[in-house]
Amino acid sequence: MIPVEGVENQTIAVLGLGRSGKATAAALKAGGARVIAWDDGVDTREAAAADGWEIVDLTRDAGWDGVSALITSPGIPHLYPKPHPVIEKAMRLGVPVDNDIGLFFRSFATDEWNEFDRIPRVIAVTGSNGKSTTTALIHHILEECGRPTQMGGNIGTGVLSLNPAEDGEVVVLELSSYQTDLARALTPDVAVFTNLSPDHLDRHSGLGGYFAAKRRLFAEGGPDRAVVGVDEIEGLYLADQLSMGPSDDRVIRISSETKLDGPGWSVFAKKGFLSEYRKGRQAASIDLREVKGLPGAHNHQNACAAYAACRAVGLAPREIEAAFHSFSGLPHRSQTVAEIGGVRYVNDSKATNVDAAAKALQAFDRIRWIAGGLGKEGGITALQPFLGRVTKAYLIGHSARDFALEIGQTPYEIAETMEQAVAHAAAEAEPGETVLLAPAAASFDQYPNFEKRGEHFVTLVEGLRPAEG
């Protein structure tokens, strides 16, 4: 746990008592604060009270006597579509509102660092797509290279539940727009912007507000190095705003679409090769085509972002390249589960929409495609340009028959269940083909979440292995 600095003998209110809220309350208490808490859920409040937390009704004015700050969980709206009543009350009373990310950045550095040989550093990753994979890949590379490291934020451990830093440690954080939008302190050493596509638009009142929330990671504290994906106009704009000139190597531009070989510092992937350029000269090249944990152009962009971030903290190209090859990918995101009889089995259960499924379909050739579930508005007709790689589709779940009408001339069967889809795909697959779970649909018709769907696929694939003996 990281005790919160600067709160001793203050009364701090915490709104939301989920995982991050409880961790925040504990870190505030460890920092010497009196913590009062509120949650809209009666059962949650009662459970927290049973655990010893002081529950105060923050919807009433009387609950605010002596409160110095309100710390809110990231999922609770503070501005759009409208602020939570407790947050609005805090703002009307002039009580500062913050979140656990802001508390982390103001509390991470301690006097103990004066005795360290190497100052700890923070790499923070944001963006629309790929930020979880990029965060996990950076953490994996650091581990493989023997650097002390922790991973947290929107992935893994809550930021205030991390351990105090060790000498030379690098903390890697995934930060969502919900987290960056409100945090009062945002001071990473290296900040990464992967890309931007429309998401959470109601929460940010449109694409401009969504981008503004991401941009705060770079604008509020000014990282020493900024790694910026420039394949969208927003990334181009951000890189330009941060740079003092064409050769300013504080900004590392990355791309999975365009060769970047100007006078600055850039990392890009073309035709499966990652290249690093500095001052107009190539500094390194890595063949990504044989990195099984990072298939497809979208993962090559993740590789560029992770490579650049690791170079920014002093790792060598060959160290990073070796670590790429031992990265197995995140569960349910283009995860290679097994190769059995020359057939590759890939779990991309996280591909719950058309955009994500399109990326998965572009990553492989000769695909036996398992798709379906609870279809989303608009269907999957937009996937037709990517179906030339599909040998056959095996359609499951509620929308199986709707999907069958939307995939043109692609051969298919209505498999109904995951068991039948995996069994039939495995029986018909030939060496060199890939059995790909990329549903392009939500899971809720047959599974509680995409993780359970992916786990079921993995279990079925493991059952295909020939018995030893």
Side-chain angles (χ1 to χ4, degrees):
M1 179 195 301
I2 296 174
V4 177
E5 298 283 337
V7 295
E8 190 172 1
N9 298 321
Q10 295 183 29
T11 298
I12 308 294
V14 172
L15 177 62
L17 290 167
R19 180 174 66 94
S20 67
K22 289 179 180 178
T24 298
L28 286 163
K29 185 177 180 181
R34 173 200 171 208
V35 177
I36 63 174
W38 183 252
D39 192 285
D40 291 338
V42 175
D43 292 345
T44 303
R45 293 199 301 266
E46 290 177 349
D51 289 337
W53 293 108
E54 183 180 352
I55 304 300
V56 174
D57 188 350
L58 296 175
T59 66
R60 300 179 180 275
D61 289 347
W64 291 90
D65 290 345
V67 172
S68 299
L70 173 68
I71 310 303
T72 180
S73 295
I76 300 173
H78 60 272
L79 186 56
Y80 301 115
K82 64 179 182 178
H84 187 280
V86 170
I87 296 177
E88 183 173 359
K89 185 175 286 293
M91 293 189 292
R92 292 190 183 281
L93 293 171
V95 175
V97 181
D98 204 348
N99 61 17
D100 60 338
I101 304 302
L103 297 181
F104 167 84
F105 277 111
R106 86 182 205 194
S107 305
F108 184 53
T110 66
D111 290 340
E112 294 178 359
W113 289 21
N114 293 327
E115 306 301 321
F116 289 171
D117 292 329
R118 293 188 299 175
I119 297 298
R121 305 179 78 178
V122 177
I123 299 174
V125 181
T126 196
S128 297
N129 301 307
K131 59 182 179 294
S132 293
T133 297
T134 299
T135 302
L137 179 57
I138 294 169
H139 181 248
H140 171 79
I141 294 167
L142 291 164
E143 284 189 319
E144 291 293 295
C145 294
R147 293 286 292 270
T149 181
Q150 297 182 78
M151 179 174 67
N154 204 46
I155 185 175
T157 305
V159 290
L160 293 174
S161 296
L162 295 168
N163 296 320
E166 298 180 17
D167 191 335
E169 186 167 51
V170 181
V171 173
V172 190
L173 302 179
E174 177 193 341
L175 299 182
S176 72
S177 60
Y178 289 9
Q179 294 170 310
T180 59
D181 198 18
L182 185 63
R184 285 175 165 252
L186 285 167
T187 54
D189 299 279
V190 180
V192 179
F193 177 86
T194 58
N195 50 56
L196 195 84
S197 62
D199 204 0
H200 309 305
L201 299 189
D202 59 336
R203 176 66 182 263
H204 299 292
S205 193
L207 186 62
Y210 177 52
F211 174 54
K214 301 287 189 185
R215 185 179 179 273
R216 290 190 79 248
L217 182 62
F218 301 82
E220 293 300 309
D224 296 334
R225 283 276 193 274
V227 176
V228 182
V230 295
D231 288 337
E232 294 87 29
I233 190 63
E234 292 86 358
L236 275 174
Y237 169 80
L238 178 60
D240 185 75
Q241 287 282 297
L242 296 171
S243 175
M244 297 300 293
S247 60
D248 185 355
D249 67 1
R250 295 173 303 169
V251 179
I252 308 175
R253 292 168 172 81
I254 64 167
S255 174
S256 61
E257 297 178 357
T258 305
K259 182 178 180 181
L260 306 173
D261 55 1
W265 193 351
S266 61
V267 180
F268 62 89
K270 290 282 287 183
K271 298 181 179 180
F273 285 87
L274 179 153
S275 296
E276 176 188 2
Y277 272 74
R278 297 191 74 170
K279 298 179 180 179
R281 294 186 176 185
Q282 187 170 13
S285 177
I286 298 174
D287 185 351
L288 297 174
R289 295 172 299 176
E290 299 303 317
V291 180
K292 293 183 178 180
L294 295 167
H298 62 301
N299 273 311
H300 292 175
Q301 183 185 59
N302 299 335
C304 289
Y307 176 94
C310 290
R311 291 286 285 134
V313 294
L315 298 184
R318 293 305 163 213
E319 291 181 292
I320 300 171
E321 180 178 11
F324 277 168
H325 286 279
S326 58
F327 182 68
S328 59
L330 283 181
H332 320 301
R333 297 167 173 86
S334 294
Q335 174 196 14
T336 295
V337 175
E339 289 194 16
I340 303 171
V343 177
R344 185 177 189 179
Y345 293 83
V346 176
N347 167 24
D348 204 341
S349 184
K350 184 67 166 61
T352 58
N353 57 42
V354 165
D355 183 60
K359 288 182 171 64
L361 289 169
Q362 293 175 79
F364 307 98
D365 294 308
R366 299 175 60 196
I367 299 168
R368 303 262 170 190
W369 179 36
I370 300 175
L374 190 60
K376 297 188 175 181
E377 185 176 353
I380 62 167
T381 53
L383 289 177
Q384 287 193 15
F386 310 106
L387 299 182
R389 299 168 180 247
V390 176
T391 302
K392 184 177 178 181
Y394 303 79
L395 305 177
I396 65 174
H398 177 271
S399 297
R401 286 168 177 79
D402 291 334
F403 280 19
L405 298 174
E406 297 175 337
I407 59 174
Q409 300 301 310
T410 303
Y412 73 90
E413 69 172 79
I414 304 296
E416 300 285 1
T417 66
M418 187 72 74
E419 289 91 344
Q420 187 169 322
V422 171
H424 289 195
E428 297 173 0
E430 299 178 355
E433 293 185 337
T434 296
V435 175
L436 170 67
L437 171 64
S443 60
F444 306 125
D445 57 334
Q446 295 178 317
Y447 302 92
N449 50 52
F450 75 83
E451 291 95 342
K452 292 297 182 184
R453 176 171 61 190
E455 289 166 7
H456 190 201
F457 174 79
V458 171
T459 298
L460 294 170
V461 170
E462 291 295 337
L464 299 172
R465 294 185 185 276
E468 295 183 3

